[in-house]
Amino acid sequence: MTTSATLSTSPATDGAPTIDLGPAVALSCRECGHRVDLGPFYACTECFGPLEVAYQFASSGEELRAAIEAGPDNIWRWAPLLPVPPGIASTPNINPGNTKLIRADNLARELGMKTLWVKDDSGNPTHSFKDRVVAVALAAARELGFSVLACPSTGNLANAVAAAAARAGIRSVVLVPSNLEQQKILTTAAYGGTLVAVDGNYDDINRLAGQIAAEQEDWAFVNVNVRPYYAEGSKTLGYEVAEQLGWRLPKQVVIPIASGAQLVKIDKGFTELVELGLVDASPYKVFGAQATGCSPVAAAFKAGEDVVRPVRPDTIAKSLAIGNPADGPYVLDVVRRTGGAVEDVSDDDVIDAIKLLARTEGIFAETAGGVTVATLRKLLATGALDPDEETVIFNTGDGLKTLDAIASSVGPTATIKPTLAAFEQAGLV
């Protein structure tokens, strides 16, 4: 089946690719369509546009669905749709994926919605969705011959790279802003490897990572020089939602935006499932969520512009604090094509939303999850999102990583002496 540029039946160039990454056959430019053989490339040599993986899938429909359902209880059940080598499930890795899709009836009632689900990716091994993308990037890095796994990160990716490299038995090098949450710095350091705190924001260290990658030919920066493979890991979020709903697509999804790649790839995952005959085609709307302190995509959407203008981040949602999001223009394309929207919310709204999700559903989200819930509430208030349509929101990280965000607004109901009288006098019965 070849219904999109990424679902090709022919190799990229003369001869078969020499690198075996399963169904991946080439890298294709998102802007001009120029194709190159599989390799550690991330920018088009013709127009400098971003490269993404092009596939030749071996099967479709019922045969493919049966193979997926018989697969392992993690993202490698989706190996027939990912740029990973044969036998990936048996290699040393931390096996993320197949996280819970939780029906959030209490939160739905609070917000006046009919059917709401939370895809809770805090259940991954390092408690964020980044384990998915790193697992795919690590598989590609091995196949491409790299010996070091590296990244610039706002925190969750640092955790995931350090853990995956430790499990794989290779060196990791992680660059993070020096003002990152202490929980994310400590949990990264616990896995060993090299952790470098840089006096700058994410955009500063991302530029530094690009310079280092150009000098160190055996270092795989997962979100720089192996970015095309890395980004494909986010498709598994869309795949899993569809399978967990009984092989169908939801009507509306709300997704946090950092670089924007996750939103774009979830949409790509939905599209592939339809094209491969794994789900019926049905319209869905994609909504993006940003913190007001770093909302360049929301600003472009509201202004009706195609250009995303970089900003200097200033928000408690540090995992979303990318002022120059690489996939920002593609987010706008997806959102506008599907009839969705991009909204932004204040830091106070984020804190309220973290507590709302915890109080109603027992899910403790990090600040990015708070951004998503707060945006959902704002989209309902503005009428952009239909409360009667089935909706899935994505919690991408664990609240234990961003405790400082709510530390000043929660605490004990009372502090008493260890006596029944004190308990009663405090009005707790």
Side-chain angles (χ1 to χ4, degrees), residues 120-136:
D120 187 14
D121 240 27
S122 67
N124 277 312
T126 69
H127 309 286
S128 89
F129 86 101
K130 291 293 187 181
D131 290 326
R132 297 174 183 273
V133 287
V134 169
V136 176

Side-chain angles (χ1 to χ4, degrees), residues 347-359 370 373-374 377 406 409:
D347 284 353
D348 286 343
D349 289 339
V350 173
I351 294 170
D352 287 344
I354 291 172
K355 293 190 290 186
L356 172 63
L357 182 61
R359 173 171 61 78
V373 174
R377 185 158 55 182
I406 64 164
S409 63

Side-chain angles (χ1 to χ4, degrees), residues 64-73 77 243:
L64 179 56
R65 180 184 298 184
I68 292 167
E69 291 177 339
D73 188 26
R77 71 200 283 106
E243 183 183 15

Side-chain angles (χ1 to χ4, degrees), residues 103-172:
R103 181 156 176 146
D105 289 340
N106 295 331
L107 179 58
R109 276 194 295 273
E110 185 105 359
L111 298 177
M113 302 181 70
K114 279 191 174 178
T115 307
L116 176 63
W117 302 86
V118 178
K119 179 61 173 172
D120 187 14
D121 240 27
S122 67
N124 277 312
T126 69
H127 309 286
S128 89
F129 86 101
K130 291 293 187 181
D131 290 326
R132 297 174 183 273
V133 287
V134 169
V136 176
L138 174 60
R142 282 171 165 151
E143 187 68 17
L144 295 170
F146 288 104
S147 61
V148 176
L149 203 64
C151 71
S153 172
T154 56
N156 285 325
L157 181 57
N159 291 172
V161 164
R167 172 67 175 149
I170 62 176
R171 184 189 176 196
S172 66

Side-chain angles (χ1 to χ4, degrees), residues 83-94:
V84 295
I88 180 63
S90 62
T91 61
N93 62 72
I94 59 176

Side-chain angles (χ1 to χ4, degrees), residues 56-77:
Q56 181 176 337
F57 295 127
S59 58
S60 61
E62 292 302 320
E63 180 183 355
L64 179 56
R65 180 184 298 184
I68 292 167
E69 291 177 339
D73 188 26
N74 53 53
I75 65 167
W76 304 130
R77 71 200 283 106

Side-chain angles (χ1 to χ4, degrees), residues 1-12 25 35 55-57:
M1 181 169 289
T2 58
T3 54
S4 80
T6 58
L7 295 176
S8 172
T9 56
S10 59
V25 295
R35 300 179 74 170
Y55 295 97
Q56 181 176 337
F57 295 127

